[in-house]
Amino acid sequence: MNETQPTRPTAESERYRNAGHWEGVTFGSSLRRWAATRPGSVALVDGDRRWTYAELDREADRVARGLRGLGLGQGDRVVVQLPNCAEFVLIWFGLQRLGAVPVHAMPGHRRTEISHLVRTSRATACVITDRHARFDHRELLREVLADHESSGSLRHVVVVGETGRHEDFVRFDELREAGNGQEPLPADGGADSGDLALLLLSGGTTGLPKLIPRTHDDYSYNVRASADLCAFDPGTIYLAVLPIAFNFTLSCPGVLGTLFRGGTVVVSPDPSPQTAFALIEHEGVTVTSLSPPLVPYWMDEAATGLSDISSLAVVQVGGARLPDDLARRLGPALGVTVQQVFGMAEGLINLTRLDDPEELVCSTQGRPISPDDEVLVVDAEGEPVPDGAPGELLTRGPYTLRGYYRAEEHNRTAFTEDGYYRTGDLVRHLPSGHLVVVGRIKDQINRGGEKIGATEVEEQLLTHPSITSAALIGVPDERWGERSVAFVMCAGSAPSTRELAAFLRERGMAEHKAPDEVVEVGHMPLTAVGKIDKTALARQLPRA
Ligand code: OOB
C-alpha cells in the first residue's frame, strides 16, 4: 500500500487488463485521439458558444500551458469548484493534458468543505467562478487561503470571470491567453494510465467526507461501459443538467461518455425545466440525467406543451431512490425511455437496461454495468443472505476503489479483508441480477441526491453555544425523499431552525446540510452500548 492509494492485488489488475476493461489510456491522450478522428464535429455547446473536438483539444493545450506557466505540473492536485459552464470541461481537460489531478468540489460547498478538500488533497491551486447564485466565490477563497497560509501549499486561485479586488488571483481568460503557443504538448504530461486521474468526494458517514481516488484506467472503463449500455454514438446530444462535477453527470455515461462516442455535450446552466426544455428544443437533445426531486417539475413543464421536446429519447434518474410510481409516470409524461441509475462515486454503477421490461425499469435500480462487478448482499455478521432478502451491499470490481485517499484508519473498516467496499446501502438482489435499494445502514441522509454525513453536521451543531448534545436523522419527505431533522439538547434556549441555519452558514458549512427542522429534547435516548438511539428518536416524530 503506498501513501496515497492502497493498491489492488497485481493478479486482479492483470485480469482487468486482459479482459480489455483497462485499456492503458489516459484522458489526455483520449482527447488527442478524438480530435484526430473527428476534428470538425461539435463536442461542446454552452449558450451560443461551441467547440469542435479539434478546438477542445487546442483549448486543453492552451489551458495546460497557462497552468504550467503558474508552475503547475504532473501530479499536482487542483480543486475545481465551478457551476455548469463550458469552462468546467475546458479546465478539466487542461488539467488532464498536464497530467494534473482535478479535485471535484460542488458549487454549494463553502469554507469548511473547500478547506477540507485543499487540506486532504494538498492542492496547489483552486479554480473557481467569480459569483454564482448570489454568492462571491472569490471571498470564499480569500478565507480558504487564510486557512492554509501557514502550510503555504495553496498558491494559486484561478477565476472564471472577474478577479475584482483580488489582485493576486489569476483571470482564466488571461491564463488562456498566456497559454497561446504553437509547440505541441505531450497528450497527458507523461501520466500513466494507472495514475490518479481525479479525486471525487464521498457522501461521508463518519467525520469529514473522504476523497475517492479514480485512475485513468478505472474511470475510463466506467465511462466506456456505461456508454455502451446506453448506446451512445455520434448522434448523442447529452444535456448536462445536474452539476458536471457530480460523477453521475460526468461519467455514467454523461459528459465523458458523450465525448468518448463522438456526440455533443450541451451545458445547462441550471436544472430548471424551463431552461432545460428550451435547450432540448434548440439543440435537439437526445438524453439527459436527473435526480428524483426534479422529476415532478419536469413532468409539469412537459404537460404545458410549450416546448417541443420530441428529440429527447432517454431520461436517466439516479442519486436517490426514485419512487416506483413516479418512475411509471415519467416515461409517458415526457415521451421517453426511463433508465434508473444507482451509482456511487466510489465506483459501482447499476443501470436498468434500455430494453428491460417496464416492471424492472420502474421497480428496480438496475444491475451492475460490468460482468466483472462482484456484488454480495450480507447480513449484520457479514454472511450472505438468501437471494431476494434485504442486506448490505458489498462490492468489488474493475472501477471500484480499494481504499479512500489518505484515510488509512477509515479504510480498515470501510472494506472487508478481501477488498470489498461496504456501501452501507441495504438492497435486495433479484434473480435477474437487478438490485432494489430498500434502505441504508450508513449514518447519512440522502436529501434528493445530496448526501449529508450525519456526524459531520452533528460536530458542527455541537459548536453552537447552547447545544449540549445533537443527533441528525433523515425522515421521509415528499419533495426531497428525505429531509434532515436535528434533535438537540440545550443549555438555555434552543436555536430555531432559521437561527441554526444562519449559525452554520457563518461557520462555513454548505447550506444544503443545515437541518430542515430542529427538535429540542430533554434527554437523548441511548442504546445498550451508550450511543444515541436514532431509531428511538425517529419514533418521537409524528408519522408523515
Ligand atoms: C451517486 O453517487 P454519490 O457518491 O453521491 O452517492 C452514492 C449513494 C449510494 O451509496 C446510495 O446510497 C445513493 O447514493 N444512491 C441511490 C441511488 N443512486 C445513488 N439510492 C437509491 N436509488 C438510487 N438510484 O449518487 C451516483 C453516482 C453515479 C451515478 C448515479 C448516482
Side-chain angles (χ1 to χ4, degrees):
M1 190 184 291
N2 67 28
E3 187 228 4
T4 51
Q5 221 180 305
T7 46
R8 278 171 208 275
T10 321
E12 200 179 300
S13 303
E14 211 49 10
R15 188 152 62 84
Y16 298 149
R17 260 183 231 109
N18 291 338
H21 301 333
W22 293 2
E23 287 188 325
V25 178
T26 60
F27 285 101
S29 56
S30 287
L31 173 60
R32 204 31 55 92
R33 199 182 64 239
W34 307 330
T37 51
R38 45 184 124 98
S41 312
V42 177
L44 181 62
V45 178
D46 181 357
D48 49 19
R49 304 182 297 161
R50 265 154 220 273
W51 289 262
T52 63
Y53 279 88
E55 286 166 343
L56 183 57
D57 186 57
R58 277 199 293 277
E59 276 301 316
D61 269 0
R62 212 172 272 157
V63 174
R65 278 196 213 95
L67 292 167
R68 202 177 55 181
L70 295 179
L72 294 174
Q74 199 212 328
D76 276 334
R77 273 85 55 211
V78 176
V79 172
V80 179
Q81 187 191 32
L82 291 173
N84 277 4
C85 58
E87 282 78 4
F88 185 104
V89 181
L90 307 182
I91 289 162
W92 199 86
F93 277 105
L95 290 166
Q96 297 297 344
R97 176 82 2 117
L98 202 60
V101 179
V103 184
H104 289 205
M106 287 295 165
H109 283 155
R110 296 295 177 256
R111 183 177 187 167
T112 315
E113 291 90 9
I114 303 291
S115 259
H116 170 64
L117 282 175
V118 168
R119 191 176 315 110
T120 315
S121 66
R122 295 179 206 156
T124 47
C126 288
V127 183
I128 56 164
T129 184
D130 48 10
R131 294 181 61 84
H132 175 64
R134 291 186 287 162
F135 181 78
D136 194 324
H137 287 263
R138 298 162 298 191
E139 297 300 331
L140 166 62
L141 258 291
R142 204 67 284 143
E143 296 174 352
V144 170
L145 275 170
D147 291 343
H148 296 275
E149 208 177 314
S150 57
S151 76
S153 56
L154 177 60
R155 291 193 296 274
H156 306 286
V157 178
V158 177
V159 184
V160 174
E162 298 304 323
T163 49
R165 69 181 184 89
H166 308 272
E167 284 166 11
D168 49 336
F169 292 2
V170 181
R171 269 180 60 223
F172 173 66
D173 282 341
E174 258 169 53
L175 179 127
R176 274 185 70 242
E177 289 295 313
N180 268 330
Q182 293 304 317
E183 125 250 24
L185 284 184
D188 52 24
D192 184 87
S193 66
D195 287 347
L196 194 57
L198 68 156
L199 285 166
L200 294 170
L201 196 59
S202 77
T205 47
T206 52
L208 285 165
K210 306 291 178 290
L211 289 179
I212 297 161
R214 305 293 303 256
T215 67
H216 296 271
D217 274 327
D218 87 61
Y219 209 58
S220 296
Y221 176 51
N222 180 136
V223 175
R224 283 185 287 105
S226 353
D228 287 345
L229 288 174
C230 298
F232 274 29
D233 65 19
T236 298
I237 304 180
Y238 177 79
L239 185 67
V241 166
L242 300 172
I244 302 178
F246 184 22
N247 188 41
F248 182 15
T249 325
L250 186 63
S251 71
C252 305
V255 170
L256 293 174
T258 307
L259 298 176
F260 265 82
R261 294 292 176 251
T264 303
V265 173
V266 179
V267 176
S268 183
D270 69 75
S272 74
Q274 291 77 8
T275 306
F277 280 35
L279 288 170
I280 294 168
E281 177 169 323
H282 193 251
E283 302 294 340
V285 167
T286 60
V287 51
T288 191
S289 351
L290 303 178
S291 59
L294 289 173
V295 168
Y297 296 99
W298 278 55
M299 286 173 31
D300 284 351
E301 182 68 17
T304 68
L306 290 172
S307 314
D308 174 7
I309 57 163
S310 55
S311 60
L312 195 60
V314 177
V315 171
Q316 299 182 302
V317 186
R321 184 68 154 85
L322 176 66
D324 294 6
D325 165 59
L326 210 49
R328 284 198 181 90
R329 289 189 284 130
L330 176 59
L334 263 61
V336 297
T337 299
V338 173
Q339 180 175 53
Q340 294 214 38
V341 185
F342 162 40
M344 51 204 75
E346 283 80 359
L348 182 70
I349 306 296
N350 303 279
L351 300 175
T352 55
R353 306 306 197 245
L354 299 179
D355 58 357
D356 270 346
E358 198 197 329
E359 194 42 37
L360 283 177
V361 171
C362 297
S363 63
T364 80
Q365 282 60 60
R367 60 186 170 88
I369 59 172
S370 169
D372 284 316
D373 280 321
E374 299 174 80
V375 301
L376 291 174
V377 182
V378 302
D379 63 19
E381 276 71 51
E383 294 301 322
V385 298
D387 236 10
E392 185 187 6
L393 173 67
L394 309 183
T395 185
R396 181 170 80 171
Y399 58 95
T400 294
L401 86 174
R402 292 305 277 255
Y404 290 96
Y405 188 71
R406 294 180 176 146
E408 231 173 282
E409 198 183 316
H410 182 68
N411 286 339
R412 277 196 274 277
T413 52
F415 297 83
T416 65
E417 250 168 44
D418 40 9
Y420 281 87
Y421 164 58
R422 301 183 208 270
T423 66
D425 290 315
L426 283 177
V427 302
R428 292 194 304 116
H429 194 215
L430 307 185
S432 61
H434 289 68
L435 299 170
V436 181
V437 181
V438 294
R440 198 179 314 126
I441 54 168
K442 54 189 166 191
D443 206 0
Q444 189 184 77
I445 292 131
N446 189 338
R447 191 175 183 271
E450 302 238 50
K451 315 306 180 309
I452 303 171
T455 53
E456 181 192 351
V457 178
E458 287 158 3
E459 278 166 26
Q460 293 285 343
L461 291 173
L462 288 173
T463 65
H464 189 280
S466 49
I467 296 180
T468 56
S469 180
L472 194 74
I473 68 168
V475 302
D477 181 82
E478 190 156 341
R479 177 169 178 203
W480 297 109
E482 247 174 80
R483 71 193 144 88
S484 64
V485 176
F487 285 86
V488 293
M489 263 169 71
C490 292
S493 62
S496 68
T497 305
R498 189 189 269 263
E499 281 161 1
L500 202 53
F503 173 79
L504 294 169
R505 192 182 320 122
E506 193 59 32
R507 288 195 52 85
M509 196 181 78
E511 277 183 42
H512 72 268
K513 295 182 191 167
D516 291 304
E517 195 184 322
V518 180
V519 177
E520 191 186 5
V521 288
H523 81 282
M524 285 287 180
L526 298 181
T527 65
V529 292
K531 286 195 198 170
I532 294 179
D533 186 346
K534 292 194 171 181
T535 320
L537 284 173
R539 276 199 300 266
Q540 295 186 14
L541 288 170
R543 288 199 177 264

